Amino acid sequence: MTRLGRTARLRSRGRLAALYAGGFLGPFGGAMTASVLPEVGGDFGISAGTAAATLTGYLVPFALLMLVSGTLGERWGARRTVRIAYAVYVLSSVLCAVSWSFPVLLGGRAVQGAANAFTTPLLLAAIAAVAPKARLGRALGVFASMQAAGQTSAPLLGGLAAEASWRWAFVGAAVVAGALAVVGLPADLPRDGERPRLRSAWRPRTLRLAAVGFVAWGCLGGVSFLVALRLGDSFGLSAGQRGLVLTGFGLVGIFTARVTGWAIDRFGARRWAVSGAAVGGVLLVGVGVLPSVVAVGVLWAAAGAFSQAVIVGLNALVLSSDEANRGGSVSVVQSLRFLGGALSPVAFVPLYHADPVSAFLVPAGLVLAVPPVLLHRRRSRDPA
């Protein structure tokens, strides 16, 4: 191989690696202040509870903009959109790092979330464009493992940074985003003639998949707060001990995501997503009723694997189709997924205070009932 050929091959591998690294950055950015709320509050003279708005301030624009960001990104050109989004992420991270008041920090967090809304769906669509169709599940599984790694490591890395100053976590995010902006996507997404329209991402099939994501993530992946409440109320665990148990969900998700991708390629995305929802619902029942803290921890960790089965399966169903505007469609599915997680505390905290067991049984029942109905194969040409 010539020197020029080796350089081109290394560049191609670097861009492919950047696709997966982008999967890490988004969830990491969202959760990076979760463990440093007292320090953030102390700097600005506010309570840790008020500082928690830095989490909501990121998630709301991130989830809402993804309703349209995938389609807009394909209209504008995926490579250009992703580069600009990373550049905006760099600037907003720097603004957070140097913020001189809490409103400035909140504004920076909102811009961070908005920028990430324009990277996540386009990265997923780019993976689908470069991965062989027979190995799409495995490729999406790797991406999901990187997302889980970002979500799981953010509180730890943010906490370590806070030993010096919580602001250094934002400096690190800015450096990573800047490197990803330089690398960019391997290629622009293929387009069939005219630019995609927003309505092309809102087909009935896509909306069914998005509804499954809303229910599955809101009632399974998004109920970690319920598990934390039960660990404290039923078993008397401290904050550190609760955090350790909750981390099992993400860790198992990291290590099983590739197996999940293989299973999707082998058995079909639809079948595996329905199976993941069924097993996840049963595990959630055990988490809510078993009297052993060890059993609760083991079952919650196992639920991390099966929640990945649902989410990766949904992404594969969207991205393996031959419909136009796959980036816009997966963007809608991801948006509803995160909106489900955002609304989960509003729905289930009051139920927990009324009846702790019902607070687990109701979301478990929804996870068991809704995905099989909405994922029922209605057309023969739908992928398995």
Side-chain angles (χ1 to χ4, degrees), residues 230 234 283-291 296 299 356-361:
R230 182 162 193 245
S234 299
L283 292 173
L284 187 59
V285 172
V287 170
V289 302
L290 291 181
V296 168
L299 293 185
V357 174
S358 295
F360 286 90
L361 295 182

